[in-house]
Amino acid sequence: MPSISIIIPVYNSSKYLEKCIDSVINQKWVDFEILLINDGSTDSSGSICDLYAKNFKNIRVFHKENEGVSASRNIGLDNCQGDFIIYVDSDDFLEQNVISQMLGKQLELDVDIIIGSFNKVSPAGDVLANVRSSDGDSLLDTKGIVDYTISYLRNPRKNLMLMSCWAKLYRRSIIKDNSIRFDTSLTIAEDIDFNYKFLNYVKSALLIEQIVYN
């Protein structure tokens, strides 16, 4: 059974998809699986997914009618096997070897979620801005998590970390045991809804200054 499941919803992202998948495949020193959920793409994204699955045994592809990113992520949740989950959007990419580094921090501290920092990048991949989850690593207990979520409600533009499900490492058992899923009726803020559902059951969290995502 893999340590980590990487769930990648895919929709008409052929221009960026290979860079995205390669950034995951090239991660080192950790056992992971990749689930590519092709959400009815009309470009060559589906063929790209199939080619990678043919060449890599730890990649599985699911083709479906177009229903939106939430439905795609839910299919990933229904089929993943890892102890932890990382979400990656198909037009984004990971920093080098961050999966093993995040897993190492999790194993050391036994936290339920790790929230990393990220770069905002141009279509060419040039870094435009850094968005930090914390100045230095910060370990939160239950009260700290409540304070952190309240700070987002008070100033969501300042605290961007709960606006997305990427740049994070989730403990899968919390999702599985509490039947947490993305709300397919939402057309915006589905990530925030998912994060608040998840954080409701979390006892510990780690905010890390390290850039893990682009």
Side-chain angles (χ1 to χ4, degrees), residues 76-122:
L77 289 176
D78 291 339
N79 290 277
C80 65
Q81 300 174 339
D83 295 322
F84 301 94
I85 292 173
I86 291 176
Y87 298 100
V88 182
D89 284 351
S90 58
D91 56 350
D92 299 339
F93 59 96
L94 297 177
E95 287 287 290
Q96 292 184 351
N97 301 329
V98 294
I99 295 180
S100 61
Q101 293 165 14
M102 293 174 76
L103 182 60
K105 291 177 183 290
Q106 195 288 323
L107 294 174
E108 176 186 357
L109 299 171
D110 194 31
V111 292
D112 294 324
I113 183 173
I114 294 178
I115 300 175
S117 303
F118 65 92
N119 290 324
K120 292 184 177 181
V121 299
S122 71

Side-chain angles (χ1 to χ4, degrees), residues 148-199:
Y148 184 74
T149 54
I150 290 175
S151 72
Y152 172 80
L153 292 174
R154 288 175 173 168
N155 194 343
R157 292 187 178 276
K158 182 179 179 180
N159 181 1
L160 299 175
M161 305 314 298
L162 296 183
M163 294 182 68
S164 67
C165 62
W166 37 256
K168 297 172 179 64
L169 179 78
Y170 297 87
R171 188 188 295 274
R172 177 175 164 243
S173 61
I174 291 178
I175 297 172
K176 181 179 179 181
D177 293 346
N178 298 286
S179 300
I180 300 172
R181 290 293 183 272
F182 288 86
D183 187 341
T184 58
S185 70
L186 296 176
T187 56
I188 60 171
E190 72 282 346
D191 298 49
I192 300 171
D193 176 72
F194 180 87
N195 283 330
Y196 270 81
K197 290 174 183 174
F198 183 86
L199 290 172

